[in-house]
Amino acid sequence: MKFESFSFAPEILRAVSECGYQTLTPVQREAIPVIRRGQDVLASAQTGTGKTAAFALPILQKMHDNPSDRLNSNTRALVLAPTRELAQQVADNFIAYAKYMDIKVLTIFGGVKTSTQAAKLKEGADIIVATPGRLLEHITACNLSLSHVDFLVLDEADRMLDMGFISDIQKIVQAVNKNRQNMMFSATFSSSVKHLANEMLNKPKLISVDGQNTTASTVSQVVYPVEQRRKSELLSELIGKKNWQQVLVFTATRDAADEVVKELNLDGIPASVVHSEKAQGNRRRALREFKEGKIRALVATEVAARGLDIQDLEYVVNYDLPFLAEDYVHRIGRTGRAGKTGVAISFVSREEERTLKDIEKLIGQKIKRISVPGYEVSSRDLLLKQIQKRRSFAKKKTRDDNVTAQVAAEKSMVGRRVKVKSGASKPKKIK
């Protein structure tokens, strides 16, 4: 099915065509007609399925069909996103789709001066894409009124709840015009997502285009068993020998990300890092250089697992497996997007085998293992036997030491008793 089937305005169709879109994805086919009818939506869709266009295009069409004046300190559409990266990505998509329309899009998130944002809010906007925390600050400061919001979207609602935004979201929802259309998009339908949906949605249409916690069929998944201390060495070798030109690498910590970038650069592989301790300007520059091909590897922590939109990204590497099995799905969703193919590689140390089992259980499939000569991990069973042997030896040594100490103590006591007896003076006779 093509976009022309939904009778979008010529301005929208022209912009969509320039974006390279041709056929609708499953979530777009199901969500667009429902949203255009004005019904609330609760949709489950994995990253890379085209869900932004699924809500952005019908919102723009409804704005086109029912134009209204832009009001100061107000907006017609409000989209909430968990991170500034995702907020910027959604805003960029809106701008691209509305290229030939008189639509003003504004982003509101942390890392930018509130005074600068307040000045822009005063002028008003047709669409605001924001993170909950910073938006609530502006609402509290009376820099923004939500009394004229016609469309409220929660993008990646499950992620926002995981990040602890529930209280902020509830306050924002209370401040929004009651006569509005609601759309909630989430990768999973957790109990907390369902609870929030019951609070804010009015008889929603339930849309689920993917099985829960499934990975895209366009992504090939492989596992490389490797010792933790040799992961950076293996990463450099794979990128170099296989000539990977664009690789997104995920680490568990900021320190690990910095160390990986350092090692890659030393090995002659241009790399940069994205994590929460980097200034927003540095993060944007790193992402831009990665997209432009100036660097071959972008190393990121979980903060970038959702919100990075990199066209034609072929490789995602889990340098460390995520703490939560569900985050594995979001990480590898950065590749194989919009019907294109991608490869997800995971480095797994002995200590991460249990996490890998949790991931395989979650996605319902075993992931292919590839052993690289020279990087083999010693048998886990053998390791356990060695550990058990060392423990048994330690216990035996402890018992022997205790026996030796006990014998020595008894000999010492006997020696003292003998000494006391031999050295005792005879009692004198009383005359």
Side-chain angles (χ1 to χ4, degrees):
M1 184 180 291
K2 297 187 178 297
F3 287 89
E4 290 82 355
S5 305
F6 286 131
S7 302
F8 283 114
E11 298 92 331
I12 295 176
L13 288 176
R14 182 182 175 188
V16 167
S17 177
E18 291 183 4
C19 289
Y21 298 175
Q22 296 180 349
T23 58
L24 292 108
T25 65
V27 68
Q28 292 165 359
R29 285 198 301 270
E30 292 199 35
I32 288 175
V34 176
I35 295 173
R36 288 189 64 175
R37 287 197 298 267
Q39 189 174 354
D40 282 7
V41 166
L42 175 58
S44 170
Q46 303 296 335
T47 56
T49 57
K51 58 185 174 63
T52 302
F55 62 77
L57 294 179
I59 287 176
L60 289 172
Q61 183 63 46
K62 288 169 78 72
M63 287 185 170
H64 176 275
D65 295 339
N66 300 284
S68 66
D69 294 333
R70 191 175 299 144
L71 301 177
N72 293 341
S73 302
N74 259 286
T75 185
R76 290 191 66 187
L78 174 63
V79 182
L80 297 180
T83 66
R84 47 188 159 188
E85 286 82 9
L86 181 59
Q88 188 62 61
Q89 173 193 321
V90 171
D92 289 343
N93 286 339
F94 264 109
I95 292 170
Y97 304 151
K99 182 177 180 179
Y100 300 104
M101 299 173 65
D102 180 22
I103 294 291
K104 182 179 179 181
V105 182
L106 185 62
T107 54
I108 299 295
F109 46 67
V112 180
K113 289 184 178 180
T114 54
S115 58
T116 302
Q117 293 177 341
K120 292 180 179 180
L121 285 170
K122 187 176 181 180
E123 298 173 0
D126 298 294
I127 299 166
I128 291 178
V129 186
T131 52
R134 177 52 65 90
L135 184 73
L136 190 59
E137 289 180 25
H138 285 292
I139 294 173
T140 305
C142 297
N143 295 328
L144 174 67
S145 169
L146 301 179
S147 60
H148 287 76
V149 170
D150 295 324
F151 312 101
L152 175 62
V153 182
L154 267 63
D155 194 12
E156 301 205 357
D158 54 338
R159 187 63 170 176
M160 284 192 283
L161 297 181
D162 288 344
M163 294 172 69
F165 284 128
I166 180 61
S167 178
D168 291 348
I169 292 172
Q170 289 173 330
K171 291 175 182 177
I172 291 169
V173 170
Q174 287 298 316
V176 178
N177 168 35
K178 304 303 182 224
N179 186 26
R180 64 178 188 267
Q181 183 179 3
N182 302 291
M183 288 149 264
M184 185 183 294
F185 287 77
S186 177
T188 61
F189 284 160
S190 63
S191 58
S192 56
V193 169
K194 292 178 181 177
H195 181 74
L196 181 60
N198 289 332
E199 286 185 358
M200 64 172 284
L201 303 183
N202 179 30
K203 298 179 180 178
K205 170 68 175 179
L206 184 63
I207 297 173
S208 182
V209 297
D210 292 308
Q212 294 297 295
N213 297 312
T214 57
T215 55
S217 59
T218 53
V219 180
S220 299
Q221 304 172 63
V222 295
V223 163
Y224 286 89
V226 58
E227 300 284 358
Q228 184 69 33
R229 60 185 174 82
R230 302 199 65 194
K231 285 185 176 182
S232 61
E233 187 180 345
L234 177 59
L235 179 62
S236 292
E237 182 166 329
L238 289 174
I239 294 176
K241 286 190 175 181
K242 295 181 179 293
N243 197 29
W244 294 345
Q245 293 301 312
Q246 198 178 46
V247 188
L248 179 60
V249 183
F250 286 106
T251 62
T253 66
R254 295 187 295 267
D255 289 343
D258 291 333
E259 187 62 28
V260 170
V261 168
K262 178 182 176 182
E263 292 297 325
L264 287 173
N265 285 323
L266 287 173
D267 290 334
I269 299 171
S272 193
V273 67
V274 173
H275 58 59
S276 58
E277 284 192 351
K278 293 293 181 180
Q280 180 68 6
N282 291 337
R283 293 161 70 174
R284 287 180 179 173
R285 182 171 59 255
L287 181 57
R288 183 179 65 253
E289 291 179 348
F290 185 58
K291 289 181 177 181
E292 293 174 352
K294 294 180 180 178
I295 57 176
R296 293 174 65 181
L298 183 65
V299 185
T301 53
E302 206 65 52
V303 70
R306 302 190 192 188
L308 289 182
D309 185 22
I310 304 162
Q311 288 188 350
D312 304 327
L313 176 65
E314 290 188 76
Y315 300 99
V316 167
V317 174
N318 288 304
Y319 185 90
D320 300 308
L321 289 182
F323 296 116
L324 298 176
E326 290 83 355
D327 287 333
Y328 173 84
V329 176
H330 304 311
R331 283 185 180 186
I332 71 171
R334 298 299 99 205
T335 187
R337 298 170 70 87
K340 297 179 181 178
T341 59
V343 181
I345 300 103
S346 297
F347 292 171
V348 180
S349 65
R350 281 192 300 263
E351 295 76 16
E352 294 173 305
E353 287 289 348
R354 183 182 295 275
T355 303
L356 177 61
K357 288 184 179 179
D358 292 339
I359 289 171
E360 291 177 330
K361 182 179 180 181
L362 181 74
I363 64 177
Q365 69 181 84
K366 294 286 288 184
I367 303 175
K368 179 182 177 181
R369 288 174 177 259
I370 298 177
S371 294
V372 180
Y375 292 91
E376 297 89 346
V377 177
S378 56
S379 169
R380 184 174 179 81
D381 292 336
L382 179 60
L383 176 68
L384 292 174
K385 288 180 180 179
Q386 290 174 343
I387 293 174
Q388 186 62 39
K389 187 176 180 180
R390 286 197 297 268
R391 287 177 177 173
S392 298
F393 177 78
K395 287 181 180 178
K396 183 177 183 301
K397 187 175 185 301
T398 300
R399 286 197 300 269
D400 291 345
D401 289 346
N402 289 339
V403 170
T404 301
Q406 186 176 353
V407 170
E410 290 177 353
K411 287 182 178 179
S412 176
M413 289 296 294
V414 170
R416 284 198 295 271
R417 285 198 296 271
V418 171
K419 185 176 181 180
V420 169
K421 184 175 181 181
S422 61
S425 58
K426 294 182 181 181
K428 296 181 179 180
K429 292 182 180 181
I430 300 174
K431 293 182 180 179

